[in-house]
Amino acid sequence: MSSPQKRVLCLHGYSQNANMFSKKLAALRQQLPEVELVFIDAPHVLQPVDLPAPSQMGYFSGFDSEPPPKDPQRGWWKTQNVQNIAAGLEVTLTLLRDVLKEQGVFNGVLGFSQGAVLAALLSGLLEKPAMYPSFLEDGKAVHPPFEFCISFAGYKPLDPLGAKLLTPNFKTPTLHVIGLNDIIVTPERAQSLIDASLNGRVELHDGGHFVPSKTAWRKFLAEYIRNPSDDVPGPNGKAPATNGSTLVSEPVTPILE
């Protein structure tokens, strides 16, 4: 078996786990036999009090209808004080430092929802590791900056440490995938991360809080991972849906199978 041409670190959303996210992206993985998608678990196991209301579980998990998970539901941090403090973020950054140190080089990173926030934070951190000395070893970063980042329903955190790593901005080429009908991470909330992204590209879909998985989207995402540039036509076959770094307000044509 030949070695993968690329390796991508995949970070699940809040109340998911690595196994759930891997299953969600199974069709994308099939489009990319030459790419290794590496899924890891968040360190914090969630208790019932930490979980969203049952009516919102589908939105948070990224599944339209979510069966009870067999594995523990996890989070990269727990929010406190009206979303301002990301409790446990330092533990997560230590985990990621060790993953990057021990599992070899990753070309890129992708994440969904809270995992998308973390993907952006990690991208910014690898650009300027001196801002978080715990990420250094013998004065050097444990991993080079990523070639690209893919953010599904990401946003800029309010937590002081998280905000610091993305202030004033980060340079890693980043694809921002936003659902126009997302009620968890609304397009307005997503704009906060887009504004911090110096080399951002925005693609919109007409769905909610999930990773789009229709055929056109799978093909687009696969091609973007192979060649992360603005030269890759969008899922509608059009130029990137961007206007500088601001969400385009024109309606998105639904993509049918």
Side-chain angles (χ1 to χ4, degrees):
M1 185 176 180
S2 59
S3 300
Q5 297 178 12
K6 283 190 175 184
R7 303 179 74 233
V8 180
L9 182 62
C10 302
L11 307 175
H12 62 77
Y14 188 79
S15 81
Q16 288 186 339
N17 55 52
N19 186 47
M20 291 169 65
F21 197 36
S22 176
K23 289 180 178 179
K24 180 62 180 175
L25 297 187
L28 178 61
R29 288 191 284 114
Q30 292 176 358
Q31 296 267 163
L32 290 164
E34 76 280 18
V35 176
E36 181 183 6
L37 300 182
V38 180
F39 298 82
I40 63 171
D41 277 322
H44 305 292
V45 175
L46 303 180
Q47 304 303 317
V49 69
D50 303 314
L51 296 173
S55 61
Q56 292 186 321
M57 281 303 298
Y59 289 110
F60 273 87
S61 68
F63 288 77
D64 294 330
S65 59
E66 182 63 43
K70 296 180 181 179
D71 301 319
Q73 293 167 273
R74 296 174 176 270
W76 300 105
W77 58 82
K78 301 177 184 180
T79 54
Q80 296 179 348
N81 300 334
V82 195
Q83 307 287 321
N84 285 345
I85 301 298
L89 177 57
E90 293 86 354
V91 172
T92 287
L93 292 178
T94 298
L95 168 69
L96 290 174
R97 180 198 63 195
D98 294 342
V99 167
L100 296 178
K101 176 182 175 182
E102 298 167 5
Q103 296 195 23
V105 175
F106 293 90
N107 301 88
V109 61
L110 68 80
F112 168 68
S113 196
Q114 192 185 68
V117 180
L118 184 59
L121 291 181
L122 188 56
S123 297
L125 178 53
L126 291 178
E127 293 174 15
K128 39 195 175 186
M131 293 186 68
Y132 190 67
S134 296
F135 227 73
L136 299 172
E137 187 171 86
D138 298 327
K140 298 180 180 179
V142 297
H143 191 282
F146 293 126
E147 298 169 19
F148 65 92
C149 171
I150 302 178
S151 165
F152 297 101
Y155 54 93
K156 186 176 179 179
L158 298 176
D159 173 81
L161 173 58
K164 173 184 175 182
L165 297 177
L166 294 176
T167 300
N169 48 52
F170 68 110
K171 298 183 295 183
T172 303
T174 300
L175 172 64
H176 303 268
V177 179
I178 309 299
L180 291 175
N181 291 302
D182 191 337
I183 63 172
I184 302 299
V185 179
T186 63
E188 292 76 16
R189 189 180 182 194
Q191 185 67 50
S192 62
L193 183 59
I194 296 168
D195 288 343
S197 181
L198 276 184
N199 295 302
R201 170 177 177 172
V202 179
E203 291 290 348
L204 310 174
H205 65 89
D206 63 342
H209 195 63
F210 56 78
V211 176
S213 60
K214 292 180 179 179
T215 300
W217 270 98
R218 294 198 306 268
K219 291 181 177 179
F220 162 66
L221 291 170
E223 191 56 36
Y224 184 87
I225 289 172
R226 294 187 184 103
N227 176 31
S229 77
D230 288 348
D231 295 332
V232 178
N236 288 297
K238 301 178 181 179
T242 57
N243 178 15
S245 59
T246 304
L247 288 178
V248 173
S249 59
E250 65 184 37
V252 174
T253 303
I255 300 172
L256 302 178
E257 292 286 3

